[in-house]
Amino acid sequence: MRLHRLDITAFGPFGASQSVDFDDLSAAGLFLLHGPTGAGKTSVLDAVCYALYGSVPGARQGSGQGMTLRSDHAAVGTRTEVRLELTVAGRRLEITRQPPWERPKLRGKGTTVDKAQTWLREYDATTRAWKDLSRSHQEIGEEITQLLGMSREQFCQVVLLPQGDFARFLRADAEARGKLLGRLFDTRRFAEVEKRLAERRRATEAQVREGDATLLADAHRMQQAAGGAMELPELAPGEPGLAEAVLEAAAVARADARELLTIAECRLTAAESAQAATGRHLADARELDRLQRRFAEARERAARLAERAEDHRAAQERMERGRKAEAMAPALELRDAAEGEHRRAAAAEARARALLPPALAGAGAAGLAAAARRAAEELGGLEAAGRAERRLAELVDERAGLDRQERADEEVRQEAETWLADWEATRTALQSRVDSAQEAATRAEQLAVQRDPAQRRLAAARQRDRLTDDTEAARQRALTAAEDAVEARALWLDLKEQRLQGIAAELAANLTDGTPCAVCGATEHPAPARKTAGHVDREAEERALTAYQTAEERRAQAERHLGTVREALAAATAEAGDTPTAQLAEEAEELEGAYTRARAAASGLHAAQEELRRAEGEREQRVAAQQQAAVRSASRVATRDRLEREQAALEEELTRARGAAESVAARAAQLERRAALLTEAADTARAAADTAQRLKDADARLADAAFRAGFDTPADAAAALLDDTAHRELQRRLDAWQSEDAAVRAVLAEADTADAARRPPADLAAAQGAAADADRRLREASSARDAADRCRAELDRLSAHAAASVRRLAPLREEHTRVARLASLAAGTSADNEHRMRLESYVLAARLEQVAAAATARLLRMSSGRYTLVHSDDRSGRGRSGLGLHVVDAWTGRERDTATLSGGETFFASLALALGLADVVTDEAGGVRLDTLFIDEGFGSLDDQTLDEVLDVLDALRERDRSVGIVSHVADLRRRIHAQLEVVKGRSGSVLRQRGAG
């Protein structure tokens, strides 16, 4: 990485625009950045860091998302800007950053905040022009971090070498060195490995304990299944030997259960044999009792049959007479049908004759038929008169229709004349409505264009007001979170100090006689330290550290939220301007009201146009209707004359045809009724005569059939005839008697039934009692056998489950042992870890060895071959080791702590350490070449000889094509280094003066 040019505007102490040409300064290899205290030397380095990473080191960033970087000397309208041109990874880039800017509002009073801006450009050597790459903060940050291969913290330690920090690093304890090295080399993954191993150890331990608890639960269930006869091991979950003891007890319980099952099976076999014998005896007794009861029932049924024998013979005779009468059933049915038909015909004749005139009531069928023919002939003569009468009614209707048409046409003419008289006024009013609606539509379109911008400004103003309150609330939360973080850090440091003061008691708590002390190695401990009241242990310190880290995360989150809210507030203010929300709401409401009214007025345009078109069409229809009514009125005069002549002729003809009746239709109805009555009377008279003859013939045939069947009269045959219900009932009685008689004879003829009747009565109750006792004993034996089998099966199941649990837990136990050993080894608590070094400390120790080796190469030249930096594994006060740093004095041959170096020695040792660290971090970051370095302060503590040696070492960096900028106000350096960048401070801000090597 090589810096080419830096442009600063309104940044830090620089109120105006300043430029730095690093190519000119780097030509000599060494250049000096000097100026009085407070002039802004460090601000030049901050500008470089801000251009690359968007923030400056440490507390100088502030809590305002970069707003504190603005110069207090800058003009009101000048925006803060930093532009850096550099070459990295073979690419020439230009980065421009503008932090958030609180500027005066363009309209109204007060200020508004513009968001931060970032630009990244790359120089294209082919086209010799700059090409835009990105304007995204995130994309640019990721691109620069990837190209440099290091974070902001690493850059500040490697490129901007702060000697004060490395002087403190030389004197720091192992914990402080570990924190600094951890930030530079990002060893969080190794700390995460330690944490993961510890978590995995706790997890596997919990799983083992859980598995042992499940195993003990199975053992308790086996004890319950065995009836309490099983003895459980007196071991807790997690203790060794628990699985073997449970499996051994389970095996003993299973053997006892199998022995009890064998005994129960033998008892069940004996009970089954006894139950089978009593069952056979009970079956024999039941069969004997059944046969004896069967014989007794058959004797009783035979006696009842003998009592009903006379009734059976009478039923047989009745059935025989019924069969004979069935042969006469057709003749009887025929005679009854003939008699019913004759009665109906005679009744119909009487009803028909009652309707005839007295003169014709006694006439015969032939006379009645002749009178009906005469009435029909007279009715035929009235057909022409009927047609004339119907035509006359039609003429009357036609004349009435002509009158109705005349009245309707007159109404049409009058209505058309009235409507057409107002046509001009109607057309003018409708045309006015159409014109008004068109004007409203045009006005609505104009208002719609103004409506959306007004609504957006109103929404932005409301968001601006809300975000103003949110900004203040976010600022208060950020302030509160910062205070909480400070308090949490102070509490953690206090607890840490208290724990270090009582660490002897904490170590003494693990001492046992005969075991060497971890501090002094003695095996006897006559007076170990005791914990005092309020002793702080490691858990309390870690809880306080966790609380501090949580508070710090909340503080960072609150500051990020504050920046987000401020950016949103700036965007809303830029959109809404400075106009009050109430005024914007009033303007938007007035605009919306005018737009709504215009839309409402314009919505009637189509309706008005349609109404005008309908009115014009109606006018045309009314004019046409008026003309058509006049034509129809003229044609109706001739039609009315023709109808009057035809009506007079028809009325004369009908007067002759009606006679005494009211009308031709009434006369025709009289004749038609008379002919129908005469015809019906003639028909009924002939039917009555026919049915009387058929009844006479049926009586003769019935008398002959009765004589042949053996009955004296037809009435006797009819009385003997059985209907279907009586016949079925009589046949059922006869069949039932015969079936019962046959069944009784069959039972009395059975040999085994008769033999059983001769034997003594069966003792069924005794046999049932014996069988019940045998069944009860069998059930008891079966229940005992089932209980023993269930106990055996349950013990087998639980034993198998326990054995499976033991097998399943075996890999877990092995894993827990392996993980616990790894976790102890990584945490530095294992006996195998001789130096008691944590994994992260071990990695950092390796990095520290590399840094010490790289620093020694320069320290030997700076100290004229006297001092060498070496890494030490000596334990610190907490009993850990790995991050010790010693210096070897070649003059004395002794190794001592770096804290014993003098001020000047400390400076060039820290400078060598910083340069060595820069080399190691550069290699760690992927070998990115760092062609520009800055060294901050510390040269005033060196004598002339040592200063020459240090400058020789720095000058030797030129061999690697590096340029080194020294930040110092030592006067002697201004004489030794010709390329200089001077910072001159004044009342209107600082300015930069550059002088090249020439």
Side-chain angles (χ1 to χ4, degrees):
M1 180 198 74
R2 177 178 293 278
L3 305 182
H4 298 294
R5 182 178 181 83
L6 175 67
D7 296 320
I8 306 172
T9 302
F11 183 87
F14 305 103
S17 297
Q18 305 293 325
S19 298
V20 180
D21 187 352
F22 286 108
D23 288 336
D24 184 41
L25 291 174
S26 302
L30 284 177
F31 64 90
L32 178 65
L33 175 59
H34 68 94
T37 302
K41 299 185 296 297
T42 305
S43 296
V44 175
L45 307 184
D46 288 346
V48 174
C49 185
Y50 178 74
L52 292 174
Y53 294 97
S55 60
V56 298
R60 296 193 294 277
Q61 174 70 17
S63 59
Q65 299 294 322
M67 295 183 65
T68 57
L69 300 178
R70 179 172 175 78
S71 175
D72 295 333
H73 304 285
V76 176
T78 302
R79 179 159 188 175
T80 303
E81 181 180 277
V82 176
R83 180 181 291 110
L84 177 65
E85 185 180 339
L86 74 158
T87 297
V88 58
R91 300 170 60 186
R92 185 153 184 163
L93 304 175
E94 180 189 81
I95 309 169
T96 304
R97 291 188 186 269
Q98 294 177 348
W101 180 33
E102 186 174 4
R103 61 170 176 79
K105 293 182 178 179
L106 298 178
R107 288 178 293 179
K109 299 180 179 179
T111 61
T112 184
V113 178
D114 287 346
K115 295 187 293 185
Q117 302 289 333
T118 305
W119 294 270
L120 176 63
R121 300 196 303 171
E122 183 177 3
Y123 183 75
D124 189 346
T126 304
T127 61
R128 296 184 178 182
W130 290 97
K131 178 177 61 177
D132 292 334
L133 296 182
S134 176
R135 296 192 62 178
S136 169
H137 299 297
Q138 182 177 358
E139 291 181 358
I140 295 173
E142 293 175 354
E143 180 73 13
I144 295 302
T145 302
Q146 182 177 3
L147 290 174
L148 293 177
M150 62 185 74
S151 64
R152 189 197 70 178
E153 290 77 9
Q154 290 175 320
F155 179 83
C156 293
Q157 294 289 343
V158 173
V159 179
L160 312 179
L161 303 177
Q163 298 309 300
D165 288 350
F166 284 96
R168 286 190 295 272
F169 180 81
L170 288 173
R171 298 186 177 92
D173 57 7
E175 183 177 0
R177 287 183 184 138
K179 290 182 179 179
L180 176 60
L181 293 173
R183 289 197 305 268
L184 292 176
F185 294 105
D186 191 15
T187 57
R188 288 174 296 179
R189 60 186 182 276
F190 299 103
E192 187 66 21
V193 169
E194 297 178 22
K195 180 180 177 182
R196 293 290 179 87
L197 286 173
E199 292 175 353
R200 184 58 183 162
R201 178 186 61 191
R202 289 190 293 270
T204 54
E205 183 178 3
Q207 290 175 350
V208 170
R209 289 182 179 275
E210 182 180 356
D212 285 347
T214 303
L215 187 61
L216 276 179
D218 289 340
H220 283 289
R221 285 193 287 271
M222 284 189 284
Q223 186 183 39
Q224 293 175 356
M230 176 180 172
E231 294 183 1
L232 297 179
E234 297 180 356
L235 295 174
E239 294 186 11
L242 175 64
E244 292 76 6
V246 170
L247 294 179
E248 182 178 354
V252 174
R254 290 199 306 275
D256 294 341
R258 285 185 171 80
E259 183 177 355
L260 293 175
L261 177 61
T262 302
I263 296 173
E265 288 176 345
C266 293
R267 291 177 179 173
L268 177 60
T269 302
E272 288 174 347
S273 300
Q275 190 268 348
T278 55
R280 290 191 296 272
H281 179 65
L282 177 60
D284 294 342
R286 285 174 175 170
E287 180 64 16
L288 177 61
D289 179 69
R290 184 185 68 80
L291 292 175
Q292 289 176 346
R293 285 187 287 103
R294 178 180 175 84
F295 186 81
E297 290 174 357
R299 295 291 297 270
E300 293 176 359
R301 290 161 62 189
R304 288 194 295 272
L305 288 175
E307 294 175 355
R308 299 198 306 271
E310 189 64 26
D311 295 338
H312 178 64
R313 286 191 294 272
Q316 287 178 329
E317 293 177 358
R318 180 75 178 86
M319 178 63 74
E320 183 63 25
R321 286 175 60 82
R323 290 193 184 96
K324 292 178 179 180
E326 286 179 359
M328 294 183 60
L332 289 171
E333 293 176 356
L334 183 61
R335 195 268 174 194
D336 291 340
E339 184 179 9
E341 185 179 0
H342 176 63
R343 284 196 301 270
R344 290 190 294 274
E349 182 184 9
R351 287 192 300 272
R353 287 181 180 277
L355 298 175
L356 296 177
L360 297 175
L368 294 173
R373 283 194 297 274
R374 289 193 297 272
E377 290 173 358
E378 186 178 358
L379 178 62
L382 293 177
E383 290 182 1
R387 288 193 296 272
E389 188 177 39
R390 289 192 295 274
R391 175 57 183 162
L392 181 61
E394 292 175 356
L395 291 175
V396 173
D397 292 340
E398 288 180 7
R399 291 191 62 184
L402 290 175
D403 295 338
R404 287 193 300 274
Q405 292 176 4
E406 183 67 26
R407 289 192 297 273
D409 287 342
E410 183 63 25
E411 291 176 358
V412 168
R413 285 195 299 272
Q414 292 178 357
E415 184 179 357
E417 290 175 358
T418 303
W419 193 91
L420 290 173
D422 299 333
W423 163 243
E424 288 300 328
T426 302
R427 186 184 65 79
T428 302
L430 291 177
Q431 185 63 41
S432 177
R433 285 182 55 192
V434 170
D435 296 341
S436 300
Q438 287 178 342
E439 293 176 358
T442 303
R443 189 167 60 257
E445 292 177 357
Q446 294 172 353
L447 292 174
V449 175
Q450 306 172 12
R451 184 166 161 261
D452 291 340
Q455 292 294 335
R456 288 197 297 271
R457 286 194 64 196
L458 177 58
R462 287 172 176 167
Q463 187 178 13
R464 176 197 64 196
D465 296 344
R466 178 179 58 80
L467 290 175
T468 300
D469 298 335
D470 292 348
T471 301
E472 180 59 26
R475 190 184 67 81
Q476 291 295 334
R477 286 194 296 270
L479 181 59
T480 303
E483 293 174 352
D484 293 343
V486 172
E487 293 176 359
R489 185 174 187 279
L491 177 60
W492 167 58
L493 293 177
D494 290 343
L495 293 178
K496 179 179 178 181
E497 184 64 25
Q498 295 177 23
R499 182 168 178 247
L500 291 176
Q501 293 175 359
I503 194 66
E506 187 174 334
L507 294 173
N510 299 322
L511 294 177
T512 56
D513 292 337
T515 302
C517 175
V519 178
C520 63
T523 56
E524 296 181 358
H525 319 292
R530 303 296 180 185
K531 292 182 180 180
T532 60
H535 175 74
V536 178
D537 55 6
R538 181 177 182 179
E539 288 74 11
E541 180 188 352
E542 291 180 349
R543 285 195 300 271
L545 176 58
T546 302
Y548 162 61
Q549 293 172 344
T550 304
E552 185 65 20
E553 291 177 359
R554 286 197 295 267
R555 180 197 63 77
Q557 183 178 4
E559 290 185 353
R560 289 193 297 272
H561 176 65
L562 176 59
T564 302
V565 172
R566 282 179 170 170
E567 290 181 0
L569 175 60
T573 304
E575 176 70 24
D578 304 329
T579 307
T581 304
Q583 180 179 347
L584 290 176
E586 183 178 354
E587 293 174 357
E589 184 176 0
E590 292 177 357
L591 184 61
E592 186 68 24
Y595 175 73
T596 302
R597 291 191 295 273
R599 282 290 301 274
S603 63
L605 175 61
H606 180 71
Q609 292 174 343
E610 288 294 324
E611 188 173 357
L612 178 59
R613 283 194 292 271
R614 286 197 299 270
E616 292 174 347
E618 185 177 358
R619 175 183 175 277
E620 294 175 357
Q621 292 175 0
R622 287 184 181 275
V623 171
Q626 189 179 24
Q627 296 172 353
Q628 293 172 2
V631 172
R632 288 195 298 271
S633 178
S635 65
R636 278 193 296 270
V637 175
T639 304
R640 184 177 286 107
D641 293 340
R642 179 180 57 79
L643 293 177
E644 288 177 352
R645 290 192 299 271
E646 186 178 359
Q647 182 178 2
L650 290 175
E651 287 178 349
E652 182 180 358
E653 180 182 354
L654 289 175
T655 301
R656 292 192 301 269
R658 282 195 301 268
E662 295 180 357
S663 64
V664 175
R667 178 59 180 166
Q670 293 175 357
L671 293 175
E672 186 177 358
R673 176 174 174 77
R674 181 178 180 183
L677 292 175
L678 290 172
T679 301
E680 183 179 2
D683 292 341
T684 56
R686 286 193 294 270
D690 292 341
T691 56
Q693 182 61 41
R694 285 196 296 273
L695 178 60
K696 183 177 179 181
D697 295 342
D699 286 338
R701 287 194 297 272
L702 181 60
D704 183 61
F707 177 76
R708 287 196 302 271
F711 294 100
D712 296 335
T713 63
D716 294 339
L721 187 62
L722 295 174
D723 58 14
D724 291 341
T725 302
H727 182 274
R728 285 195 301 271
E729 178 60 23
L730 184 60
Q731 185 64 44
R732 185 191 64 76
R733 288 167 53 193
L734 292 174
D735 293 343
W737 196 92
Q738 290 176 355
S739 298
E740 181 68 8
D741 182 66
V744 169
R745 292 178 182 276
V747 172
L748 294 177
E750 292 177 355
D752 53 350
T753 304
D755 180 63
R758 292 190 292 271
R759 295 175 60 184
D763 191 359
L764 187 59
Q768 289 177 342
D773 291 341
D775 289 342
R776 177 180 54 76
R777 289 191 294 272
L778 177 61
R779 286 194 299 273
E780 292 175 353
S782 179
S783 297
R785 188 264 177 195
D786 291 343
D789 187 56
R790 285 195 300 272
C791 178
R792 188 267 312 161
E794 182 67 11
L795 287 175
D796 288 345
R797 184 185 68 80
L798 291 174
S799 297
H801 186 269
S805 298
V806 172
R807 290 192 299 273
R808 187 174 61 257
L809 283 175
L812 184 60
R813 292 181 191 276
E814 295 177 359
E815 182 183 2
H816 171 61
T817 302
R818 182 172 62 258
V819 170
R821 182 174 178 274
L822 287 175
S824 299
L825 191 63
T829 59
S830 172
D832 296 334
N833 193 333
E834 298 179 359
H835 297 290
R836 297 178 60 82
M837 292 174 60
R838 294 172 48 242
L839 178 61
E840 184 181 14
S841 300
Y842 177 78
V843 175
L844 292 177
R847 291 288 187 263
L848 185 58
E849 285 183 355
Q850 296 174 356
V851 171
T856 297
R858 295 181 175 87
L859 182 58
L860 286 172
R861 294 185 58 187
M862 294 180 186
S863 63
S864 302
R866 180 178 179 182
Y867 294 120
T868 302
L869 286 175
V870 295
H871 164 251
S872 174
D873 290 335
D874 292 343
R875 294 183 178 179
S876 63
R878 297 177 58 188
R880 303 291 177 89
S881 61
L883 296 180
L885 191 62
H886 289 177
V887 61
V888 179
D889 190 345
W891 291 1
T892 63
R894 298 186 62 181
E895 180 179 328
R896 54 193 173 95
D897 194 272
T898 53
T900 61
L901 293 173
S902 65
E905 293 171 340
T906 300
F907 167 71
F908 62 69
S910 61
L911 177 59
L913 187 65
L915 294 174
L917 181 63
D919 292 340
V920 174
V921 172
T922 300
D923 295 339
E924 179 72 13
V928 176
R929 181 177 179 83
L930 301 178
D931 297 320
T932 305
L933 299 176
F934 294 90
I935 301 175
D936 190 4
E937 293 298 345
F939 292 88
S941 61
L942 304 179
D943 55 30
D944 293 340
Q945 181 180 355
T946 306
L947 180 60
D948 290 337
E949 294 174 349
V950 169
L951 292 178
D952 290 342
V953 172
L954 295 178
D955 192 58
L957 295 176
R958 298 172 57 188
E959 300 174 0
R960 302 175 64 180
D961 198 18
R962 282 184 176 179
S963 61
V964 179
I966 299 175
V967 183
S968 179
H969 47 64
V970 177
D972 191 39
L973 289 176
R974 291 198 291 271
R975 294 190 300 270
R976 294 171 180 263
I977 302 176
H978 300 288
Q980 298 178 10
L981 179 64
E982 181 180 4
V983 183
V984 181
K985 67 179 180 178
R987 298 181 62 86
S988 59
S990 299
V991 295
L992 296 176
R993 295 177 181 174
Q994 182 171 334
R995 187 177 66 182

